[in-house]
Amino acid sequence: MATRDEGIYHGGLSGRAPWRRVVAYRGALGILAARNLKLRYRRSVLGFAWTLVYPVLATAVLSFVFAPVFPRTEHYPVYVVIGVLVWHFVSVSSAQAMDALIAGAGVMRKVYVPSAVFPLASVAANLANFLLCVAVVPTALALLGAGVTLRPLVLVAGIVGLVAFTVGLSLALAALHLFFRDVRYFFEAVLLLWFYATPIVYPTDALPEHVARWLMLNPLYWIVTVVRGGVCVAVTTSPAAVVVCVGSGMAALVLGWRLYARVENRFHLYW
Amino acid sequence: MEAPSVSVRGLDVVLLQERRAVRSLREYVIRRMRGERVHTMARVQVLKDVSMSVAPGSIFGVIGANGAGKTTLLRVLAGIIPPSAGDVCVRGRVAPLIDLGAGFDPELTGVENVLLFGSLLGVSAHDLRREMDAIAEFAGLRAMLDVAVKHYSTGMIARLGFSVATAARPSVLLVDEVLAVGDEEFRSRCAARIRDLRLGGCAVVLVSHDLDLVRREVDECVLLQDGAVAAAGSPSEVVREYSRGVAA
């Protein structure tokens, strides 16, 4: 059987940059991501369609409750559904990444595998869900005549920023969580505040000027705005917003990865 | 002489053991404020100055009491734990069989687990699918391959793990007592497969409490005692040394 990784090496760990090791194990990453998706819906009648239940319900409820509160926002349902999907992706991926690294210890005790494969597989599985929802839900809303458009470049830029940001955040949290198990609870509290500090359910122009200014410090504000700009007729995106969105995503990715790679060699002491 | 498949020189491994460990930020802050010690992880030297060398095509035995550091040694060779000091050089691809059902997920089926474990060993999905029949055949699990692994017996899991690991044609095979759970028929098939691999130059490191097996099959052997090499050399002498220590 032909195999890669032939040749002299020192116990699999040294000699290669950490990110190269992850690339070498991309096959395992794919299988783990597929496993996450499969096991979530195995033996369920609706199967993968369950992915769509949450955003559809959330959109219905939030539109019913908040559309009258924000009468000036055109096409509120599509506005809120993008917000909910982006938020769901960030919060669920990062929480699952923390669990995945702990759960992966069982495998990591038995076979060498670059540990980052486990949190990354969680993000990848959630990304598949996210992309399915972004493809299906706005299309359905478009058929209902709900102010949906497609600006492909803006949408792709928004998703690139979103994924980079989420990967960086997930890696950093997963690494810290291995050393301090209550990072999860701190993060839950942070998420609660972060949810309200991000325009998910409310439009930015509903805020007073002196409050709205502070939103600009929140990377998710830019990311969710750009993703919306790719789908919502009523939301326009400036080139500057696209730059900040992709830039802050990349910054989070680089910082998260560097933190992860720095502490990874001490993981085996804390499993 | 051919370069050794595995060579270890002066290997030390220091691990941390939790003793009233700080596992939360809250506790960390409180202890710091009270001026208490924060580092409650005890450093434990699991391996001390271990050296060994395994020639291609040979079987190397590791024996010793529970907690002597045998499994840790295998983990270092597999690249799971980095050495704290010393040199470790492993040539070629390693297939570790440390513990039952190496990288198996109990919820997944046999086929899915073959793909998962195989990919962790560095074998491509394409090759695994091609070899799937041979792997199932060798493990004697043809009929069970679409069943979730949680329904397998202990022996079945060990058989599937061994079958995948050896089908990957590794250069170094690490075996940690897993074969002990197989039945007589499977054990003789394992022995045949290992002989086959050895002819191809595969080196085997075998951790075992089965002293008869060690005397019979192993070419060279070490006895680990509290993490250090207490005896090394021909299996019969090392086993005698070990038995004397146990009897005393």
Side-chain angles (χ1 to χ4, degrees), chain B residues 200-222:
Chain B
C202 174
V204 181
V205 179
L206 175 77
V207 165
S208 186
H209 290 289
D210 182 347
L211 297 179
D212 281 335
L213 175 79
V214 170
R215 252 193 303 251
R216 207 171 53 234
E217 298 284 344
V218 160
D219 299 310
E220 216 184 324
C221 186
V222 291

Side-chain angles (χ1 to χ4, degrees), chain A residues 44 67-68 76 116 139 227 239 270:
Chain A
S44 75
Y76 183 78
T139 310
V227 177
Y270 293 90

Side-chain angles (χ1 to χ4, degrees), chain B residues 120-131:
Chain B
L120 293 176
L121 294 175
V123 185
S124 74
H126 176 79
D127 288 341
L128 285 167
R129 282 182 208 285
R130 211 185 47 209
E131 299 279 320

Side-chain angles (χ1 to χ4, degrees), chain A residues 77-233:
Chain A
V78 68
Y79 180 90
V80 80
V81 77
I82 297 298
V84 165
L85 288 176
V86 166
W87 180 255
H88 197 61
F89 173 61
V90 174
S91 56
V92 174
S93 296
S94 46
Q96 286 183 357
M98 289 189 260
D99 286 336
L101 190 57
I102 301 281
V107 174
M108 288 189 276
R109 272 176 221 273
K110 299 172 188 170
V111 195
Y112 170 74
V113 49
S115 61
V117 161
F118 295 99
L120 289 175
S122 299
V123 178
N126 282 296
L127 179 62
N129 280 338
F130 172 79
L131 292 178
L132 176 78
C133 291
V134 164
V136 172
V137 180
T139 310
L141 285 172
L143 296 177
L144 299 172
V148 178
T149 179
L150 181 62
R151 303 185 189 100
L153 287 180
V154 179
L155 183 62
V156 167
I159 290 176
V160 166
L162 172 66
V163 172
F165 184 82
T166 307
V167 168
L169 178 72
S170 300
L171 286 174
L173 284 172
L176 290 176
H177 181 244
L178 202 58
F179 296 106
F180 296 113
R181 296 296 155 92
D182 50 359
V183 164
R184 139 193 310 282
Y185 306 111
F186 278 88
F187 186 63
E188 271 169 24
V190 170
L191 274 181
L192 188 66
L193 298 180
W194 206 353
F195 179 80
Y196 290 103
T198 312
I200 310 290
V201 293
Y202 59 83
T204 318
D205 54 21
L207 296 177
E209 180 62 31
H210 68 279
V211 178
R213 241 191 342 228
W214 289 101
L215 283 187
M216 301 205 172
L217 293 176
N218 177 2
L220 276 183
Y221 162 76
W222 299 98
I223 289 167
V224 77
T225 303
V226 174
V227 177
R228 275 187 183 128
V231 179
C232 306
V233 168

Side-chain angles (χ1 to χ4, degrees), chain A residues 236-262:
Chain A
T236 50
T237 339
S238 65
V242 173
V243 170
V244 178
C245 163
V246 175
S248 55
M250 291 300 164
L253 177 62
V254 169
L255 287 176
W257 175 254
R258 287 185 65 165
L259 173 79
Y260 193 92
R262 209 187 159 98

Side-chain angles (χ1 to χ4, degrees), chain B residues 25-42:
Chain B
L25 270 178
R26 184 177 55 90
E27 219 181 319
Y28 182 87
V29 172
I30 291 172
R31 287 205 188 170
R32 261 287 152 86
M33 286 195 309
R34 287 189 188 153
E36 281 176 28
R37 260 167 54 92
V38 178
H39 300 288
T40 47
M41 301 288 267

Side-chain angles (χ1 to χ4, degrees), chain B:
Chain B
M1 198 187 125
E2 227 179 325
S5 295
V6 175
S7 82
V8 175
R9 268 199 315 273
L11 170 68
D12 286 351
V13 170
V14 177
L15 296 178
L16 298 180
Q17 277 175 2
E18 288 172 41
R19 311 250 161 107
R20 295 188 303 124
V22 177
R23 296 316 283 274
S24 75
L25 270 178
R26 184 177 55 90
E27 219 181 319
Y28 182 87
V29 172
I30 291 172
R31 287 205 188 170
R32 261 287 152 86
M33 286 195 309
R34 287 189 188 153
E36 281 176 28
R37 260 167 54 92
V38 178
H39 300 288
T40 47
M41 301 288 267
R43 296 163 67 81
V44 177
Q45 182 149 18
V46 187
L47 290 175
K48 292 174 202 133
D49 195 23
V50 172
S51 297
M52 59 184 263
S53 169
V54 186
S58 70
I59 297 194
F60 190 92
V62 181
I63 58 175
N66 294 140
K70 304 184 296 295
T71 301
T72 303
L73 177 60
L74 287 194
R75 290 207 173 114
V76 173
L77 297 181
I80 297 168
I81 296 177
S84 306
D87 281 326
V88 175
C89 183
V90 177
R91 272 161 221 272
R93 223 164 31 76
V94 184
L97 279 172
I98 301 172
D99 210 342
L100 282 175
F104 285 0
D105 186 314
E107 296 290 332
L108 293 179
T109 66
V111 173
E112 290 166 335
N113 268 306
V114 169
L115 294 174
L116 176 62
F117 183 38
S119 74
L120 293 176
L121 294 175
V123 185
S124 74
H126 176 79
D127 288 341
L128 285 167
R129 282 182 208 285
R130 211 185 47 209
E131 299 279 320
M132 191 65 74
D133 275 344
I135 291 169
E137 187 65 52
F138 184 80
L141 289 171
R142 219 175 238 293
M144 293 287 286
L145 226 45
D146 289 320
V147 177
V149 163
K150 64 182 170 187
H151 299 302
Y152 284 28
S153 71
T154 316
M156 288 174 169
I157 292 174
R159 270 149 51 185
L160 192 60
F162 182 85
S163 185
V164 177
T166 53
R169 293 268 149 203
S171 318
V172 178
L173 181 67
L174 308 174
V175 185
D176 189 2
E177 203 62 274
V178 282
L179 303 183
V181 298
D183 55 29
E184 209 44 57
E185 191 252 332
F186 185 69
R187 275 202 252 182
S188 68
R189 251 190 301 165
C190 286
R193 173 66 71 90
I194 286 179
R195 233 170 313 183
D196 199 31
L197 285 173
R198 290 174 66 183
L199 289 177
C202 174
V204 181
V205 179
L206 175 77
V207 165
S208 186
H209 290 289
D210 182 347
L211 297 179
D212 281 335
L213 175 79
V214 170
R215 252 193 303 251
R216 207 171 53 234
E217 298 284 344
V218 160
D219 299 310
E220 216 184 324
C221 186
V222 291
L223 166 64
L224 287 183
Q225 215 161 45
D226 298 325
V229 177
S234 84
S236 55
E237 281 167 40
V238 175
V239 167
R240 203 177 313 132
E241 182 75 18
Y242 180 48
S243 310
R244 201 162 52 207
V246 172

Side-chain angles (χ1 to χ4, degrees), chain A residues 3 14 30 138 164 203 220 226 229 239 241 263 266:
Chain A
T3 52
S14 58
L220 276 183
V226 174
V263 297
R266 286 193 285 136

